[in-house]
Amino acid sequence: MIESIVKIWAKYDYVFLNGLWGTLWLAFVTVLFGTILGTLVALLRLSRCKVFQALTGAYIEVLRGTPILLQLYFFWLLLPKVLPFKVSDTACIIVALVINSSSYVAEVIRAGIQAVDKGQMEAAKSLGLSNKNAMRYVILPQAVKNILPALGNEFVVMVKETSLASVFFVGELMTSYKTVQSTTFLAIPSLTIVGIIYFILNFILTKILKVVERSCRPVTKQVQDREIIKVENLCKGFGELKVLRNINQHVNMGEVVSIIGPSGSGKSTFLRCLNLLEVPDSGKITFEGVEITDKKIDIDKHRQKMGMVFQHFNVFPNMTVLENITLAPVLEKKVPKEQAQEEAEELLKKVGLLEKKDEYPRKLSGGQKQRLAIVRAMAMKPDVILFDEPTSALDPEMVKDVLDVIKDLADSGMTIVIVTHEMGFAKEVSDRVLFMDDGCIQEEGTPEEIFEHPKNPRTIEFLSKVL
């Protein structure tokens, strides 16, 4: 057996090498033109035109849902009959392979584009770029890192799938096997040589692909002890009244920070400054490494990652419970409506409001409205949620239900900043507690440090009245 393999290789090595070249050439041409066509299909599928979406969706489903050999036969028979000029078997097979490849590449490119942060398109639009220029200069260059490894996989797959072209005697490795076998009548040794070549080729390509994947892989951010919000020298006033005085503070990812203090101490103003609902007079606020107090920043982009729950609920009275929740994900994050509804129903189920999904807010109790407001914030999948006295407008018997929802969020690892008068809740859930008075953070520490061993005289006085 081995002797036969050596003899066949020694005599017909040039035949196999020509077949190897044909396989690589066929795979390269297929993926190259398949990528060009696939990019067009992907862009049409991502367009807002329902007709384009439907046509490209059907195109992809048909090509991915039928055997590639059937497609090869189809175009091999069809093209010579419909084209006004003579077309070779090789050209017919290349067209079929390109069209088949484009259906897979289109999905790769679509997924790569959708993996780019939606805020990138918003930022491009805020600069006045057209959709075409935003896609060309902003989105596609970033999507390339997501797309390249998958395209490499498509090339490896196509190297093997081009073997089907041998059915039509197109020059490639399996066709070389047929040529040698028909001459030597030694099928197994000839087939073994082809198998070894395929294995070595794909082994090398796979190793190269792993290097490409490593170079394209994004750097994983360390979330432990990573600052998600940083406040520096924050000042805010209303006319002559100075509400916030030179505040410096930070919030780490996954941290629960409670802000306590007497009424009028600046707690809510401080919270509202974190997402610029109140614009600071001076100072700097950095969110996820971006200075959002910079007037050039698209603040709406960053607010999508900073959910907020208000004291007086602020749910939309003209919309049903479900519509309240799905509005922003559908309009701003472009989540398909059906997907948004499914995710909303899952969230409603968690807070016990699923049966109210088609009701209007006027039919909900205060506690139910506040749970709806929390779910509405969660639906945007934010990185942090700001709570501005979420229970102060509720009847006492409704407070527990809302606090339980917030506790569940805290247990899940959500970053939370909450202004609250519920001292027991702050003590139980918080990682840190800030005590504010007269527009300043007078004292901060762990719940035990603040509630059991306060040091600031003003903190001691306040807690003596509320505990």
Side-chain angles (χ1 to χ4, degrees):
M1 175 72 169
I2 296 176
E3 185 180 352
S4 297
I5 292 173
V6 172
K7 286 182 178 180
I8 291 173
W9 175 256
K11 188 173 182 179
Y12 296 102
D13 58 343
Y14 68 95
V15 177
F16 292 114
L17 291 176
N18 284 337
L20 172 61
W21 167 249
T23 292
L24 289 173
W25 178 83
L26 200 57
F28 175 77
V29 170
T30 297
V31 173
L32 174 62
F33 288 98
T35 299
I36 295 171
L37 180 57
T39 301
L40 176 61
V41 173
L43 293 177
L44 289 176
R45 196 168 188 198
L46 288 170
S47 72
R48 295 182 180 181
C49 177
K50 298 293 184 182
V51 174
F52 287 157
Q53 290 178 8
L55 290 175
T56 53
Y59 173 89
I60 290 169
E61 291 302 320
V62 168
L63 290 171
R64 295 179 67 167
T66 54
I68 186 171
L69 186 58
L70 181 150
Q71 296 169 30
L72 293 178
Y73 268 113
F74 180 82
F75 285 100
W76 180 67
L77 294 170
L78 177 69
L79 292 182
K81 292 182 178 180
V82 299
L83 295 178
F85 50 85
K86 187 177 181 180
V87 57
S88 67
D89 290 345
T90 299
C92 293
I93 298 308
I94 289 175
V95 169
L97 289 173
V98 166
I99 291 174
N100 176 270
S101 178
S102 71
S103 66
Y104 292 90
V105 171
E107 291 297 88
V108 167
I109 292 174
R110 182 172 70 92
I113 291 172
Q114 290 180 329
V116 176
D117 190 336
K118 296 295 190 297
Q120 295 295 299
M121 179 61 83
E122 293 175 356
K125 287 184 176 180
S126 72
L127 295 172
L129 269 66
S130 65
N131 285 339
K132 176 183 175 182
N133 286 334
M135 187 64 70
R136 178 180 176 184
Y137 294 103
V138 178
I139 304 301
L140 286 179
Q142 295 183 57
V144 165
K145 285 194 173 185
N146 302 322
I147 294 168
L148 273 181
L151 283 182
N153 280 324
E154 176 65 12
F155 182 75
V156 172
V157 169
M158 194 52 62
V159 164
K160 291 177 282 188
E161 289 193 341
T162 53
S163 61
L164 293 171
S166 65
V167 174
F168 307 91
F169 295 97
V170 173
E172 52 78 58
L173 266 174
M174 284 300 295
T175 305
S176 298
Y177 153 73
K178 289 183 176 182
T179 301
V180 174
Q181 188 272 335
S182 65
T183 303
T184 63
F185 300 102
L186 295 172
I188 293 178
S190 302
L191 202 58
T192 301
I193 291 173
V194 171
I196 291 171
I197 295 173
Y198 269 122
F199 176 79
I200 294 173
L201 175 60
N202 283 290
F203 180 81
I204 294 171
L205 290 174
T206 301
K207 291 297 181 183
I208 294 173
L209 185 58
K210 286 183 178 179
V211 174
V212 173
E213 286 179 344
R214 282 197 295 269
S215 66
C216 291
R217 190 178 298 148
V219 178
T220 303
K221 294 182 179 179
Q222 297 296 320
V223 299
Q224 295 181 349
D225 298 324
R226 184 171 73 88
E227 285 184 347
I228 191 169
I229 300 174
K230 185 176 183 180
V231 179
E232 300 174 82
N233 305 316
L234 182 66
C235 295
K236 175 66 180 177
F238 297 98
E240 297 298 320
L241 179 64
K242 302 300 179 185
V243 180
L244 300 178
R245 304 170 186 270
N246 203 41
I247 290 180
N248 291 276
Q249 192 51 240
H250 71 279
V251 178
N252 289 333
M253 180 171 283
E255 191 175 30
V256 178
V257 178
S258 292
I259 306 173
I260 64 172
S263 298
S265 60
K267 304 185 300 298
S268 293
T269 302
F270 174 51
L271 190 80
R272 290 166 64 84
C273 282
L274 296 182
N275 65 356
L276 267 59
L277 287 182
E278 295 289 354
V279 180
D281 295 333
S282 62
K284 184 166 69 172
I285 298 173
T286 304
F287 174 62
E288 295 188 328
V290 178
E291 184 188 339
I292 60 174
T293 41
D294 186 339
K295 293 182 179 180
K296 297 178 182 178
I297 290 298
D298 179 7
I299 188 58
D300 289 335
K301 164 190 168 183
H302 297 282
R303 283 177 179 154
Q304 291 179 13
K305 302 178 185 179
M306 301 176 75
M308 187 160 189
V309 178
F310 299 87
Q311 177 180 351
H312 296 291
F313 325 135
N314 292 350
V315 294
F316 306 132
N318 60 316
M319 300 181 187
T320 65
V321 166
L322 197 62
E323 289 168 345
N324 262 272
I325 299 167
T326 60
L327 177 69
V330 170
L331 290 183
E332 299 303 326
K333 300 186 80 173
K334 308 305 179 188
V335 177
K337 188 175 181 180
E338 294 78 10
Q339 179 185 334
Q341 289 177 344
E342 289 177 8
E343 293 175 354
E345 288 175 1
E346 282 296 315
L347 292 171
L348 286 171
K349 186 176 180 180
K350 289 181 180 179
V351 300
L353 288 179
L354 183 57
E355 72 281 1
K356 302 287 186 181
K357 67 177 184 178
D358 296 320
E359 300 283 359
Y360 284 86
R362 64 177 177 271
K363 294 186 177 181
L364 303 181
S365 67
Q368 290 171 332
K369 288 178 182 177
Q370 196 60 295
R371 279 182 281 161
L372 167 58
I374 294 171
V375 167
R376 183 177 63 182
M378 292 166 58
M380 291 294 283
K381 300 178 182 177
D383 295 331
V384 59
I385 299 183
L386 312 176
F387 290 89
D388 187 8
E389 300 189 31
T391 60
S392 63
L394 300 178
D395 294 333
E397 65 269 20
M398 298 177 181
V399 170
K400 182 180 182 301
D401 289 340
V402 173
L403 292 183
D404 284 344
V405 173
I406 302 174
K407 285 178 186 176
D408 288 341
L409 273 177
D411 291 341
S412 72
M414 174 61 70
T415 307
I416 293 174
V417 184
I418 179 170
V419 173
T420 183
H421 291 292
E422 301 291 334
M423 297 300 132
F425 171 80
K427 184 176 181 180
E428 178 185 353
V429 175
S430 305
D431 296 300
R432 280 191 303 128
V433 178
L434 312 181
F435 172 71
M436 287 190 67
D437 189 34
D438 194 28
C440 299
I441 297 174
Q442 303 287 350
E443 190 171 356
E444 68 174 283
T446 65
E448 182 180 358
E449 290 170 340
I450 296 298
F451 291 107
E452 303 295 336
H453 309 289
K455 297 177 181 178
N456 187 291
R458 186 67 187 92
T459 310
I460 296 171
E461 179 187 358
F462 172 77
L463 292 175
S464 68
K465 294 178 180 179
V466 298
L467 293 179

